[in-house]
Amino acid sequence: MSRAPKVKVRTPSACATCPIRGRALFQPLSQGEVELVAHFRSEDRVVHGATDLYRQGEPCSELYTLFDGWAFLYKLLEDGRRQILKFCLPGDFLGFQPDLETPRVHSAHAVTDVALCVFPRPNLLHMFGEHPKLGISLTWITAHDQALSYEHLTNVGRRSAKERLAYLLLELFYRAREVTEPDSEGGIFFPLTQEHLADALGLTPIHVNRTLRELRGEGVVELGGRRLKVPDPGALEEELGFNAHLLRPRRMI
Amino acid sequence: MSRAPKVKVRTPSACATCPIRGRALFQPLSQGEVELVAHFRSEDRVVHGATDLYRQGEPCSELYTLFDGWAFLYKLLEDGRRQILKFCLPGDFLGFQPDLETPRVHSAHAVTDVALCVFPRPNLLHMFGEHPKLGISLTWITAHDQALSYEHLTNVGRRSAKERLAYLLLELFYRAREVTEPDSEGGIFFPLTQEHLADALGLTPIHVNRTLRELRGEGVVELGGRRLKVPDPGALEEELGFNAHLLRPRRMI
DNA sequence: CGTATCATTGACGTCGGTCAATTCGTGTGG
DNA sequence: CCACACGAATTGACCGACGTCAATGATACG
């Protein structure tokens, strides 16, 4: 039987009052611009957890704003090895790539049930044609994603397993705290498995587990029961040389 | 004594006849647009090899098009570990980042002597204000860089040393062949040391050396004397699941 | 030539991977 | 309410890819 998805819903086309608008793609827009965006948006869509949103090789017909839930982007090698490229949280914009005529270069997967705002590709190009400022927003988002991706590359390429894991958990802790309500103890909802973490960090799940045990033992993180807490984020930030700037969206100009 | 740099030169503001324009940032521009770009460009600059173009932490006052020579972007950890993020070849656009008010988030280093077109930041913003199409070009470039960066992340996170090295060499071979003249044997000029390769791949120079020996032994690559040749790129592409699409610039729209 | 940088090689150590159980937790059905 | 099933977490024993340390060669340049 098909269970009812657990996600936030809202009345369609309610961009003007969208609860995540302050954090989303089109944050710095005026009232009129928001209406323009609402006009080009085609629908809200809900996708169940543990399913793909799109797959590499498919045509690139839509783009999305993640409205609620957790997802990630990933690449698959021929033999099944998987690299997770980015974890997506509410407010993130997914599905853009340099050549929209070309098949998708990576896949996207819903971890939890997920709610999406859907932008059909032709509408999007229209939209940018009619409103250059939206193009600047998109440039900003892409550049921001790239900075994050460079950070991950550095993490995977040049840090030990323990550093990598601590770094990723800290990043996700900060990002999740920005877009969802922490629980009474300051912990966040955290739906990822150790296998997800492994595939993002270039490790095996087994080694993630061992490393996690160390971090827990040192009191650096509390993780379990779909909940994550970093008791002293400041100290960890310091210790890892974590650059929190990269997570704080600011205006480009 | 300061030796004379070995790079291509040209008369300033000759954007219209720039030999790399077909491959550079502003490729799809009209005559008038090129003149606009030429107007906002401030100068040509030559930088000696083995020096930094800019460093993380500095203010972000200029952006560049690489006109001649090889460079790379990198991040440094506190203890000196280095991750190379991207190798830059003629035609590449450097120095853009999401928040231009904020200090640089990575550094750039000239491998060889290098010639640059310099765009002062304030001019750039002006330029995009006056000509939206340039903004689209920039978005395209950023998205393209990001796709490359995701590819590198996958490479470093999920491939063996041998696969990583072969993959990177193939990529550089293709990219270099696009923008410079191959020698009579089909090899390309290749100024990187094994340490550069190591820092891009998340390996040690020693292990790069050993891995290179294997690849040479199998006839997969010829590398030495600042020259690289991949005798059968097609076969290697096949074997690695290399996606050459990502390297071929196409129009976004 | 003398010096510096890069490439190369060998011996050895370790971080993280592999394989294989066992345990835990949650949801399901009897 | 309990038995069961399934995925995820956990643990141990062992292995191998890659790192570390140290020495030697090859090249280029002043």
Side-chain angles (χ1 to χ4, degrees):
Chain A
M1 201 207 82
S2 149
R3 92 198 137 71
K6 298 174 197 164
V7 287
K8 290 180 195 169
V9 288
R10 58 172 183 169
T11 41
S13 293
C15 288
T17 59
C18 175
I20 64 157
R21 191 164 79 76
R23 302 171 184 115
L25 168 59
F26 305 112
Q27 175 191 2
L29 301 189
S30 70
Q31 183 58 30
E33 286 157 346
V34 169
E35 278 163 23
L36 185 72
V37 171
H39 175 249
F40 283 117
R41 190 165 63 84
S42 76
E43 52 167 323
D44 286 332
R45 184 180 302 165
V46 170
V47 175
H48 278 286
T51 62
D52 281 337
L53 301 177
Y54 55 80
R55 293 208 175 96
Q56 53 193 120
E58 290 177 358
C60 182
S61 59
E62 298 174 333
L63 302 122
Y64 312 94
T65 295
L66 183 57
F67 177 68
D68 191 34
W70 285 54
F72 61 80
L73 313 181
Y74 69 100
K75 274 180 192 271
L76 233 37
L77 305 190
E78 321 66 46
D79 60 0
R81 284 175 286 181
R82 179 174 73 173
Q83 176 67 44
I84 290 182
L85 305 169
K86 186 197 174 184
F87 290 108
C88 301
L89 271 58
D92 285 357
F93 190 66
L94 292 74
F96 183 65
Q97 64 178 39
D99 186 346
L100 294 173
E101 301 289 347
T102 263
R104 308 213 90 120
V105 293
H106 61 247
S107 309
H109 184 89
V111 178
T112 63
D113 293 339
V114 135
L116 302 165
C117 303
V118 181
F119 300 87
R121 174 162 68 92
N123 286 10
L124 190 91
L125 297 180
H126 242 127
M127 187 164 90
F128 292 141
E130 287 186 24
H131 218 300
K133 206 163 161 190
L134 294 177
I136 294 192
S137 274
L138 181 61
T139 305
W140 188 89
I141 287 180
T142 308
H144 186 256
D145 272 359
Q146 204 212 11
L148 254 188
S149 150
Y150 279 162
E151 210 55 55
H152 288 151
L153 181 56
T154 306
N155 205 25
V156 173
R158 281 297 177 226
R159 279 191 252 254
S160 71
K162 200 160 137 188
E163 291 172 306
R164 282 184 226 185
L165 181 54
Y167 197 99
L168 178 59
L169 292 178
L170 183 59
E171 180 202 317
L172 291 172
F173 182 69
Y174 277 147
R175 286 178 58 201
R177 236 178 21 173
E178 289 288 320
V179 295
T180 57
E181 208 51 47
D183 64 27
S184 57
E185 314 263 298
I188 58 153
F189 170 67
F190 190 84
L192 304 181
T193 66
Q194 295 179 2
E195 190 177 4
H196 291 136
L197 297 172
D199 282 344
L201 295 172
L203 300 169
T204 56
I206 291 95
H207 200 67
V208 166
N209 186 288
R210 291 191 282 240
T211 308
L212 204 46
R213 182 172 50 192
E214 285 189 70
L215 290 177
R216 280 198 272 242
E218 296 167 9
V220 177
V221 300
E222 297 170 20
L223 177 55
R226 293 164 74 87
R227 199 190 84 104
L228 166 67
K229 182 181 168 191
V230 179
D232 191 348
L236 189 53
E237 206 177 303
E238 177 72 23
E239 190 178 330
L240 294 172
F242 185 94
N243 184 358
H245 271 299
L246 295 175
L247 301 182
R248 312 212 163 271
R250 297 191 184 189
R251 293 296 309 279
M252 185 170 86
I253 301 184
Chain B
M1 200 208 81
S2 150
R3 94 199 135 73
K6 298 174 198 165
V7 287
K8 289 180 194 168
V9 288
R10 58 171 183 173
T11 41
S13 294
C15 289
T17 60
C18 175
I20 65 158
R21 191 164 77 76
R23 302 171 184 115
L25 169 59
F26 305 113
Q27 176 190 2
L29 301 189
S30 69
Q31 182 59 31
E33 286 158 344
V34 169
E35 277 164 23
L36 185 73
V37 170
H39 176 247
F40 283 117
R41 191 165 61 82
S42 77
E43 52 167 322
D44 286 331
R45 183 180 304 165
V46 168
V47 175
H48 278 285
T51 61
D52 280 337
L53 301 177
Y54 55 80
R55 294 208 174 96
Q56 51 193 121
E58 290 177 1
C60 181
S61 59
E62 297 174 336
L63 302 122
Y64 313 93
T65 294
L66 184 56
F67 177 69
D68 191 35
W70 285 54
F72 61 82
L73 313 182
Y74 68 100
K75 273 179 192 271
L76 233 38
L77 305 190
E78 321 67 47
D79 60 2
R81 286 175 287 182
R82 178 174 72 172
Q83 176 67 44
I84 290 183
L85 306 169
K86 185 196 176 185
F87 291 109
C88 302
L89 271 59
D92 286 356
F93 189 67
L94 291 74
F96 183 65
Q97 64 178 38
D99 187 347
L100 294 171
E101 301 289 347
T102 265
R104 306 213 91 119
V105 293
H106 61 247
S107 309
H109 185 87
V111 178
T112 63
D113 292 340
V114 136
L116 302 165
C117 304
V118 181
F119 300 87
R121 176 161 66 93
N123 286 10
L124 190 91
L125 296 179
H126 242 129
M127 189 164 89
F128 292 139
E130 287 186 24
H131 217 299
K133 206 163 161 188
L134 294 176
I136 294 192
S137 275
L138 181 61
T139 305
W140 189 88
I141 287 181
T142 308
H144 187 257
D145 272 0
Q146 205 214 10
L148 253 188
S149 150
Y150 278 161
E151 211 55 54
H152 288 151
L153 180 56
T154 305
N155 205 26
V156 172
R158 280 294 178 230
R159 279 191 252 253
S160 70
K162 199 160 137 189
E163 293 173 305
R164 282 184 227 185
L165 182 55
Y167 198 99
L168 178 59
L169 292 177
L170 183 59
E171 179 201 316
L172 291 172
F173 182 68
Y174 278 147
R175 287 178 58 202
R177 235 178 23 171
E178 289 288 320
V179 294
T180 58
E181 209 50 47
D183 64 28
S184 57
E185 313 264 297
I188 57 153
F189 170 67
F190 190 84
L192 304 180
T193 67
Q194 296 180 0
E195 190 177 4
H196 291 136
L197 297 172
D199 282 344
L201 295 173
L203 299 170
T204 56
I206 290 93
H207 200 68
V208 166
N209 185 291
R210 290 191 282 238
T211 308
L212 204 47
R213 182 173 48 192
E214 286 189 70
L215 290 177
R216 280 197 272 242
E218 297 166 9
V220 177
V221 300
E222 297 170 19
L223 176 56
R226 293 162 76 84
R227 198 191 84 104
L228 166 67
K229 181 180 169 192
V230 178
D232 191 348
L236 189 53
E237 206 177 303
E238 177 73 22
E239 190 179 330
L240 294 172
F242 185 92
N243 185 357
H245 271 300
L246 295 173
L247 301 182
R248 313 213 163 270
R250 296 192 183 187
R251 293 295 309 281
M252 183 170 89
I253 302 184

